[in-house]
Amino acid sequence: MIPRSKLDTARLCLWSCLSASALSAPKAHSQTTVWSQSNDNTTIVQGSAACLNNPDGITDNSFWRLYDPLACGVNDDFEVRSVTYAVETATATAGSQLIEVVLHADPSPGAPGPTSTLSRLGSAWQPVSNATAGAQTFVTQHFTPAIVVPAGTLLAVEVRAFDGQPQGDLFLIGSNTLGETPPDSSFISATDCGIDEPVPTASIGFPVHFIIDLEVSALPPGSGTHDTMCLGQPNSLGSVANIQLGGSTTVAGPVLANVSGGVPGQFGYFISGPNPGSYVIPPSSSGLLCIDTPQFRYNSPSAQHIFQFDPAGNSQAIAVGGPSVLEVDGSFAPVPAVAVGESRAFQAWYRDGPTSNFSDSVVVTFGAAGRNLTWSGDAAFIPPPTDTFGIAFGINDLVDILPDGDLPITISHTLTNTGTDAIPAGYLIEMSVVRWTFLVVAGQAAFVEGDPTVHTHFQCTQIGPALVPGESAVITFTLGDASCPINTPPATSSTSMDCGMYQVTFSADTGMTVAETNEQDNDGRRFFFVPSDVQAINIATTRDPNNDPNVWVVGQTVEPFAPGYPAAGGVATTHRFNVTTVPAGASLWVNAISPRMGALAGNVGTMTPGPFAQMVNAPQVYDYTVDIPNPGFAGPCNGIFPPLWPADAVTYLEPVNSKITVISADGCAIAQKSALVNVVHECFSP
């Protein structure tokens, strides 16, 4: 948190409808401005509104504002780069508490909501350090990449404080009574106080005006647009799947696609086409197909097309995780190349138990390619990592595990000009390394992003090289050398890095000197972990410890045989994890992604003991079990789950995955093991 008076005033202009042209005028580079509904957004007056349970602390509260771009004459897409909110009071037993900022698309004017109708555009959260009333403090939550708001969208902004009663935490958002435009535009919701939906603060007897500002910018010309055309239908869990598109909206592509609100464990893929608006419910489906013929399917198992919903209902590309990569340049043969100015609709199809469903449909209008800097592949480290895996615990990305933190450490990343025009040398490249904090809040443990003003251990720069179209250059920084020294503090040593989680971010053209077709892919990030040199976690694996019948151990996997329909299935205990620590008996956080469900037979993987995540003391033993209640199928074989089951197949190896992640109580030691079970299915055609 920093005093508002120290913010960059060159970028802090009080945005109103009179300056809406700042978002509508075409620019070679997007300039940012602050959109504020507060008549005075620098003065915090004590006496804000919140649902509290004295003396225990704050309940789950959400503080809202609703922004209407059309009312201010903004008719184009724009992006939100950050949200700044005022803090009147923040006290937490741990010294900080997690505050989340969420951007929603609101289908109706007035107060935000009802919340069940809102569509999440994006979110981020960070720990807010303790602050005393009267300190005039502000928090800026950055979004990387920036969140694109489609034209005509009512934008509901939510600042959420979680239940702090178990720890006695308190949070009051900063406010004043100095006026706001439009009037009564501050809203609050808090279920514990009977306020299930956002209502104006004045309606509950607290006519205060929350200070919640947006840092916004126009999209650069030629970057393309996207609009939601139809909404998804509720699935078997009562949720609605929503598609989120990122990546490039130029003809070079690719489009990066995610889906939220799905059914955990189920598979799906993406559909595209130039003709949106058919609005039909296909046979054996409970969803609405919103793309007319021709329809192009992104369903290659070898590409990053097919996804599976994780336990939170978010899509993860199979094998690699993260978003699905949808080519639009013709490199994926079944999908023809898109033309400049052409619009295509995108929609996700997914399994939902015995039926199927669809997400909402989003239409993208593609712009021309030109100069475009983007980071290719993954960052590379010297010395090389000892392992790489996804850990959860607040990190939704892969993490490289380094052998130690001794300096120097070399980090390289490949920068590519994916556009059609040459880029001259002279632009600025920056690399920052920020340490993340391991926190326990309300019984949940997670790594959270450290405040860059406090936790940046390295901040390094160099001049970017000239790149012709398609050319790449390896950008290298050496942590600890004269050009990239470690910052002490926050680091405690000038010769080695402290143990824990770090995020390295490569940023191209930070001085905004290159006019690009897509400014949203200039940042490339990677997580890496520096292990402790005095503690360690070991996980030993025993495969098929019970010698179950019809189970084969094949290399590093096991294969339980599922006989053909209508024969009954069985239960196979296939993996046992033995967790020990050095020194012995250490306190640990254990997390297991379980159950994981297969697409064909509803195979359920369970881990015992549970539940997860939980704090335990080593040693611990965990068994991963696969239950096969109804493994076989009557034909035709190619009608089970195309395209995964080939038309001429008699048997099919279905992978069912689970993994266990263990982290020390101080976040300085980590280990992970995966369980891969290949269920052997039979299929009998009649």
Short mmCIF file of all heavy atoms in Angstrom, two decimals, residues 423-452:
data_model
loop_
_atom_site.label_atom_id
_atom_site.label_comp_id
_atom_site.label_asym_id
_atom_site.label_seq_id
_atom_site.Cartn_x
_atom_site.Cartn_y
_atom_site.Cartn_z
N ILE A 423 10.97 -4.96 -36.79
CA ILE A 423 11.03 -4.15 -35.57
C ILE A 423 12.47 -3.69 -35.39
O ILE A 423 13.39 -4.51 -35.32
CB ILE A 423 10.58 -4.95 -34.34
CG1 ILE A 423 9.12 -5.38 -34.49
CG2 ILE A 423 10.77 -4.14 -33.06
CD1 ILE A 423 8.62 -6.27 -33.37
N PRO A 424 12.72 -2.38 -35.33
CA PRO A 424 14.10 -1.90 -35.15
C PRO A 424 14.58 -2.09 -33.72
O PRO A 424 13.78 -2.24 -32.78
CB PRO A 424 14.00 -0.42 -35.51
CG PRO A 424 12.58 -0.06 -35.17
CD PRO A 424 11.76 -1.28 -35.47
N ALA A 425 15.90 -2.07 -33.53
CA ALA A 425 16.48 -2.17 -32.19
C ALA A 425 16.24 -0.87 -31.42
O ALA A 425 15.88 0.16 -31.99
CB ALA A 425 17.98 -2.46 -32.30
N GLY A 426 16.43 -0.97 -30.09
CA GLY A 426 16.35 0.23 -29.27
C GLY A 426 15.22 0.25 -28.27
O GLY A 426 15.18 1.14 -27.41
N TYR A 427 14.29 -0.70 -28.33
CA TYR A 427 13.21 -0.74 -27.35
C TYR A 427 13.73 -1.34 -26.05
O TYR A 427 14.79 -1.98 -26.00
CB TYR A 427 12.02 -1.55 -27.88
CG TYR A 427 12.38 -2.92 -28.39
CD1 TYR A 427 12.32 -4.04 -27.57
CD2 TYR A 427 12.79 -3.10 -29.71
CE1 TYR A 427 12.67 -5.29 -28.03
CE2 TYR A 427 13.15 -4.35 -30.18
CZ TYR A 427 13.08 -5.44 -29.34
OH TYR A 427 13.43 -6.68 -29.80
N LEU A 428 12.98 -1.15 -24.97
CA LEU A 428 13.45 -1.54 -23.64
C LEU A 428 12.89 -2.91 -23.25
O LEU A 428 11.70 -3.18 -23.44
CB LEU A 428 13.02 -0.50 -22.60
CG LEU A 428 13.65 -0.62 -21.20
CD1 LEU A 428 15.15 -0.45 -21.26
CD2 LEU A 428 13.02 0.41 -20.26
N ILE A 429 13.75 -3.76 -22.70
CA ILE A 429 13.34 -5.06 -22.15
C ILE A 429 13.67 -5.05 -20.66
O ILE A 429 14.78 -4.68 -20.26
CB ILE A 429 14.06 -6.23 -22.84
CG1 ILE A 429 13.71 -6.27 -24.33
CG2 ILE A 429 13.70 -7.55 -22.19
CD1 ILE A 429 14.47 -7.32 -25.11
N GLU A 430 12.72 -5.45 -19.84
CA GLU A 430 12.91 -5.50 -18.41
C GLU A 430 12.65 -6.92 -17.90
O GLU A 430 11.84 -7.66 -18.48
CB GLU A 430 11.99 -4.52 -17.68
CG GLU A 430 12.27 -3.07 -17.98
CD GLU A 430 11.40 -2.12 -17.18
OE1 GLU A 430 10.42 -2.59 -16.56
OE2 GLU A 430 11.70 -0.92 -17.17
N MET A 431 13.31 -7.28 -16.82
CA MET A 431 13.04 -8.52 -16.14
C MET A 431 12.99 -8.25 -14.64
O MET A 431 13.88 -7.60 -14.08
CB MET A 431 14.12 -9.57 -16.41
CG MET A 431 13.79 -10.95 -15.79
SD MET A 431 15.23 -12.03 -15.63
CE MET A 431 16.13 -11.18 -14.33
N SER A 432 11.92 -8.72 -14.00
CA SER A 432 11.80 -8.57 -12.56
C SER A 432 11.62 -9.95 -11.93
O SER A 432 11.06 -10.86 -12.53
CB SER A 432 10.60 -7.69 -12.20
OG SER A 432 9.38 -8.29 -12.60
N VAL A 433 12.13 -10.10 -10.71
CA VAL A 433 11.97 -11.33 -9.93
C VAL A 433 11.37 -10.93 -8.59
O VAL A 433 11.99 -10.20 -7.82
CB VAL A 433 13.31 -12.06 -9.73
CG1 VAL A 433 13.11 -13.30 -8.86
CG2 VAL A 433 13.92 -12.45 -11.07
N VAL A 434 10.14 -11.40 -8.35
CA VAL A 434 9.39 -11.03 -7.14
C VAL A 434 9.14 -12.29 -6.32
O VAL A 434 8.67 -13.30 -6.85
CB VAL A 434 8.06 -10.35 -7.50
CG1 VAL A 434 7.26 -10.01 -6.23
CG2 VAL A 434 8.32 -9.08 -8.31
N ARG A 435 9.43 -12.24 -5.04
CA ARG A 435 9.20 -13.37 -4.15
C ARG A 435 7.75 -13.39 -3.71
O ARG A 435 7.19 -12.36 -3.31
CB ARG A 435 10.12 -13.30 -2.92
CG ARG A 435 10.11 -14.57 -2.06
CD ARG A 435 11.19 -14.47 -0.98
NE ARG A 435 11.37 -15.72 -0.26
CZ ARG A 435 10.75 -16.03 0.88
NH1 ARG A 435 9.93 -15.15 1.45
NH2 ARG A 435 10.96 -17.18 1.47
N TRP A 436 7.11 -14.55 -3.79
CA TRP A 436 5.74 -14.73 -3.33
C TRP A 436 5.75 -15.17 -1.86
O TRP A 436 6.70 -15.82 -1.40
CB TRP A 436 5.01 -15.76 -4.18
CG TRP A 436 4.56 -15.20 -5.51
CD1 TRP A 436 5.28 -14.40 -6.35
CD2 TRP A 436 3.30 -15.39 -6.14
NE1 TRP A 436 4.55 -14.08 -7.47
CE2 TRP A 436 3.32 -14.68 -7.37
CE3 TRP A 436 2.14 -16.08 -5.82
CZ2 TRP A 436 2.25 -14.64 -8.24
CZ3 TRP A 436 1.07 -16.06 -6.70
CH2 TRP A 436 1.12 -15.34 -7.89
N THR A 437 4.68 -14.84 -1.16
CA THR A 437 4.58 -15.12 0.26
C THR A 437 3.69 -16.33 0.49
O THR A 437 2.65 -16.48 -0.15
CB THR A 437 3.99 -13.91 1.01
OG1 THR A 437 4.79 -12.76 0.74
CG2 THR A 437 3.98 -14.15 2.52
N PHE A 438 4.10 -17.22 1.40
CA PHE A 438 3.29 -18.39 1.76
C PHE A 438 2.45 -18.02 2.98
O PHE A 438 2.99 -17.78 4.07
CB PHE A 438 4.18 -19.59 2.06
CG PHE A 438 3.44 -20.90 2.15
CD1 PHE A 438 2.73 -21.40 1.07
CD2 PHE A 438 3.44 -21.64 3.32
CE1 PHE A 438 2.07 -22.60 1.14
CE2 PHE A 438 2.77 -22.85 3.41
CZ PHE A 438 2.07 -23.33 2.30
N LEU A 439 1.12 -17.95 2.80
CA LEU A 439 0.22 -17.51 3.85
C LEU A 439 -0.80 -18.59 4.17
O LEU A 439 -1.18 -19.39 3.31
CB LEU A 439 -0.52 -16.22 3.43
CG LEU A 439 0.29 -14.94 3.28
CD1 LEU A 439 -0.61 -13.80 2.87
CD2 LEU A 439 1.01 -14.60 4.58
N VAL A 440 -1.28 -18.56 5.39
CA VAL A 440 -2.39 -19.41 5.82
C VAL A 440 -3.51 -18.49 6.27
O VAL A 440 -3.34 -17.70 7.21
CB VAL A 440 -1.98 -20.35 6.97
CG1 VAL A 440 -3.18 -21.18 7.42
CG2 VAL A 440 -0.84 -21.25 6.55
N VAL A 441 -4.64 -18.53 5.56
CA VAL A 441 -5.77 -17.66 5.85
C VAL A 441 -7.02 -18.52 5.94
O VAL A 441 -7.33 -19.28 5.01
CB VAL A 441 -5.94 -16.57 4.77
CG1 VAL A 441 -7.16 -15.72 5.06
CG2 VAL A 441 -4.70 -15.70 4.69
N ALA A 442 -7.73 -18.41 7.05
CA ALA A 442 -8.99 -19.15 7.25
C ALA A 442 -8.81 -20.64 7.00
O ALA A 442 -9.66 -21.30 6.38
CB ALA A 442 -10.10 -18.57 6.36
N GLY A 443 -7.70 -21.20 7.47
CA GLY A 443 -7.45 -22.62 7.34
C GLY A 443 -7.01 -23.06 5.96
O GLY A 443 -6.92 -24.26 5.68
N GLN A 444 -6.72 -22.12 5.06
CA GLN A 444 -6.26 -22.44 3.72
C GLN A 444 -4.86 -21.89 3.53
O GLN A 444 -4.56 -20.76 3.93
CB GLN A 444 -7.20 -21.84 2.67
CG GLN A 444 -8.63 -22.36 2.74
CD GLN A 444 -8.72 -23.82 2.36
OE1 GLN A 444 -8.09 -24.27 1.41
NE2 GLN A 444 -9.50 -24.58 3.12
N ALA A 445 -3.99 -22.69 2.91
CA ALA A 445 -2.61 -22.27 2.67
C ALA A 445 -2.42 -21.99 1.18
O ALA A 445 -2.93 -22.71 0.33
CB ALA A 445 -1.64 -23.35 3.12
N ALA A 446 -1.70 -20.92 0.87
CA ALA A 446 -1.48 -20.57 -0.52
C ALA A 446 -0.30 -19.62 -0.64
O ALA A 446 0.02 -18.87 0.29
CB ALA A 446 -2.72 -19.92 -1.13
N PHE A 447 0.38 -19.69 -1.80
CA PHE A 447 1.34 -18.67 -2.16
C PHE A 447 0.57 -17.48 -2.74
O PHE A 447 -0.32 -17.66 -3.59
CB PHE A 447 2.32 -19.19 -3.21
CG PHE A 447 3.32 -20.17 -2.67
CD1 PHE A 447 3.13 -21.54 -2.83
CD2 PHE A 447 4.45 -19.74 -1.99
CE1 PHE A 447 4.06 -22.45 -2.35
CE2 PHE A 447 5.38 -20.64 -1.49
CZ PHE A 447 5.18 -22.00 -1.66
N VAL A 448 0.91 -16.28 -2.32
CA VAL A 448 0.28 -15.07 -2.84
C VAL A 448 1.37 -14.12 -3.31
O VAL A 448 2.49 -14.10 -2.77
CB VAL A 448 -0.62 -14.38 -1.79
CG1 VAL A 448 -1.76 -15.28 -1.39
CG2 VAL A 448 0.19 -13.97 -0.56
N GLU A 449 1.05 -13.35 -4.32
CA GLU A 449 2.03 -12.45 -4.92
C GLU A 449 2.49 -11.40 -3.92
O GLU A 449 1.68 -10.74 -3.27
CB GLU A 449 1.45 -11.78 -6.15
CG GLU A 449 2.44 -10.89 -6.89
CD GLU A 449 1.86 -10.33 -8.17
OE1 GLU A 449 0.66 -10.56 -8.42
OE2 GLU A 449 2.60 -9.66 -8.91
N GLY A 450 3.78 -11.24 -3.80
CA GLY A 450 4.31 -10.22 -2.92
C GLY A 450 4.15 -8.83 -3.52
O GLY A 450 4.10 -8.65 -4.74
N ASP A 451 4.06 -7.83 -2.67
CA ASP A 451 3.98 -6.44 -3.11
C ASP A 451 5.28 -6.11 -3.86
O ASP A 451 6.37 -6.18 -3.28
CB ASP A 451 3.81 -5.53 -1.90
CG ASP A 451 3.65 -4.07 -2.28
OD1 ASP A 451 3.92 -3.72 -3.44
OD2 ASP A 451 3.26 -3.27 -1.41
N PRO A 452 5.21 -5.73 -5.15
CA PRO A 452 6.44 -5.46 -5.91
C PRO A 452 7.31 -4.38 -5.27
O PRO A 452 8.53 -4.39 -5.45
CB PRO A 452 5.92 -5.04 -7.29
CG PRO A 452 4.57 -5.66 -7.40
CD PRO A 452 4.01 -5.63 -6.00
#
